Amino acid sequence: SKAYTGLVLLDWMGRSGYFNLGNSNSLASMDISKAYTGLTDYHPTVVGTFTLLICFTAPLLFWLCTIVCIGRACLSDREGFFSGALVVASVLHSTIRSGCMLCFCIVTVAMKDHLFVWSVFAPKLLYEVMLFIVMVSAHASSLLLDLSLDVFAHRKHKAAS
């Protein structure tokens, strides 16, 4: 129980990092000037990727901390340390993200006729959608990378024996 509380706290710290870096729920306050650092020309793909990374650095960093915490607390064997921690952290974060998305969607639909839902709550919903997409993409890419490394190690071990 203490372990799950700590993991939820890590998730909350990652979410608060967005606001600690100067962003807010208003799309107008988003500082995209950092995404142009080092660029001489406008490249929409590069600027968009940098903007996503700058906005969601804290949740990604604390997700990596979650992997380490799960690995240290729950997994005792060293053979499947990273794989097991990665799967548990991905499932935990995906569950938290899905729950948040479900709550925000229900509230938005229930309050769709209210005056401030589209001016105040919609940017927060957009932020949650983007955070969901970024985190699920990070989960999927890291799990695919881990799977490919396992396959490569298995082939290398099989060829050596």
Side-chain angles (χ1 to χ4, degrees):
S1 176
K2 275 187 173 181
Y4 290 116
T5 304
L7 297 176
V8 170
L9 288 176
L10 279 173
D11 182 56
W12 284 351
M13 287 191 303
R15 294 172 64 127
S16 70
Y18 174 81
F19 300 103
N20 291 337
L21 293 173
N23 297 310
S24 71
N25 284 339
S26 174
L27 295 179
S29 69
M30 213 173 189
D31 183 19
I32 61 170
S33 64
K34 300 171 198 161
Y36 288 95
T37 304
L39 295 178
T40 56
D41 294 327
Y42 175 67
H43 301 286
T45 307
V46 175
V47 170
T49 303
F50 283 169
T51 302
L52 279 176
L53 286 176
I54 290 167
C55 286
F56 301 111
T57 297
L60 290 170
L61 178 67
F62 280 99
W63 176 64
L64 293 175
C65 291
T66 303
I67 294 171
V68 172
C69 289
I70 289 173
R72 286 186 179 170
C74 301
L75 303 173
S76 59
D77 62 39
R78 287 289 183 213
E79 184 66 31
F81 172 79
F82 185 71
S83 297
L86 186 64
V87 169
V88 171
S90 297
V91 168
L92 177 72
H93 269 262
S94 295
T95 304
I96 291 172
R97 292 282 155 247
S98 298
C100 288
M101 284 296 300
L102 180 65
C103 289
F104 279 109
C105 288
I106 288 172
V107 169
T108 303
V109 170
M111 300 289 193
K112 67 181 178 210
D113 296 326
H114 194 275
L115 179 64
F116 293 110
V117 165
W118 301 114
S119 62
V120 176
F121 204 71
K124 176 66 175 168
L125 181 62
L126 179 63
Y127 167 70
E128 286 294 328
V129 168
M130 286 308 300
L131 182 60
F132 181 77
I133 291 170
V134 166
M135 292 306 291
V136 168
S137 299
H139 297 161
S141 61
S142 59
L143 287 172
L144 286 174
L145 177 66
D146 185 51
L147 180 65
S148 64
L149 290 175
D150 285 346
V151 168
F152 178 73
H154 180 68
R155 285 184 183 168
K156 186 177 178 183
H157 180 11
K158 192 174 181 181
S161 56

